[in-house]
Amino acid sequence: MPFKRKDLLGLRDLAADEIEHILETAFSLKEINTRSIKKVPTLRGKTIVHLFYEPSTRTRTSFDIAAKRLSADTYSITGSTSSMVKGETFLDTLKNLEAMHPDIFIIRHSASGAPHRLATRTPVSIVNAGDGMHEHPSQALLDMMTIIEKKGRLDGLTVLIVGDIAHSRVARSNLLGLKKMGAHVVACAPPTLMPVDLDLMGAEVCSKVDDAIPHADVIMVLRLQKERQQQMLLPSMREYSVCYGINRSRLERARRDAIIMHPGPINRGVEISPDVADGPQSVILDQVSNGVAVRMAVLYLLGQRDASRALAQREESA
Ligand code: CP
C-alpha cells in the first residue's frame, strides 16, 4: 500500500489504517538494526535535513541513525548554529535549504504548529519531531509499536497516562493515536496540569492515580517539566512525587503484567522511582530501540515520494 501523505505532522491527521501501515513497516524494518552490517540502500541518493530548535537526545539521534541505516545523506542544523541567530526567519532558512533540493525536513520547534505552517510553504516533506505542546507523532508511533510488541495488540487495552498532560505533546499524540487504534485511555494529573478539553479527545479523566493503576495494562509516565514549578502550577516537586509519582509501593497495586513506559528524559525520583524505571516491568529502553525502527518506517514511506519532481513542477508553474 503506498503512503499518500507528503508530511507526517501529527496523529490527528492519520486514519487507523495509515497508523497500522507505518507500524507494520516499522516491524518489518526493525530486523535491520540487529544485523552486523546495519545498512540497506533504500533511500540512497535522498537528502534529509534535521532542523532542531529545541534540545533532543532520543528523537534527533534516532532519526539520524534511521536515515543513515537507509543510506540517506543527512545534515543537521540547530538553533545556535543556524543564521537565525543573525535574524533570519525560520521561513527564510527553510527556503534557502529548499534551494539545495533536500527530500525531507525533520523539524523540532518550541512553537506549536510551526511544522504545519511550514508544510504549506514547501514541496519538501516535513516530519514533525515535536512542536511545542502540540504533537510528537513519531514518539506516539514508537510507543504504540512497543505496546503491540509487549501486549500483542492495542485494541481493548487500558492505557493510563500519568503526569503533566496539559503541556505534553507526547500525551496528545498518544491519546489521539491510541483512541484511533481502539485503546481505552485514562488520563491522570493534578488539576493544574490537566487540559480542560481532554474528555472531548475521548480520554477518561481520573484525579487519583491509585484508583486507576489496578485497571491499567500500560502505565505511561510523563516527565514533570521542572519549568512548570516557576509557573506556580504545583505546590512542590515533593508533593507531586508523593501524590502522582510511580514508585514500588504504588506499582504493587498494578497488574503483574502491566508495562511501564516513559518517553524520556526521566526525572528519577520525581515522576518515577529508579527501581521502577529500571525494574522488570519497565520497557523504557525498548521504546528507544523501537524509535529507530519507527523513524526508519516514516522516512522510508515519505522517501518514496519524489520531492525533486514536486520542486521542479512548482518551479515550472511559477
Ligand atoms: N522523547 C523525546 O522526545 O526525547 P528527546 O527530547 O531526547 O528527543
Side-chain angles (χ1 to χ4, degrees), residues 51-56 59 106-110 129-130 136 169:
L51 293 134
F52 275 65
Y53 292 92
E54 263 194 351
S56 169
T59 311
I106 300 170
I107 297 176
R108 171 169 287 192
H109 202 279
S110 59
H136 193 349
R169 55 196 176 207

Side-chain angles (χ1 to χ4, degrees), residues 52 54-62 108 129-130 136 138-139 142 169-170 223 262-265 295:
F52 275 65
E54 263 194 351
S56 169
T57 297
R58 282 146 289 268
T59 311
R60 186 169 150 192
T61 311
S62 60
R108 171 169 287 192
H136 193 349
S138 62
Q139 177 70 44
L142 74 88
R169 55 196 176 207
V170 175
R223 179 172 77 92
H262 192 305
R295 285 158 182 146

Side-chain angles (χ1 to χ4, degrees), residues 10 22 24 27 64 90 98 101 112 119 125 140 152 172 178-179 183 201 219 242 259 280 312:
I22 298 172
E24 277 168 11
F27 276 112
D64 200 36
F90 196 14
E98 183 191 294
H101 293 264
S112 300
S125 291
R172 195 167 295 274
L178 287 166
K179 288 302 298 176
M201 292 166 74
I219 301 168
V242 169
I259 56 170

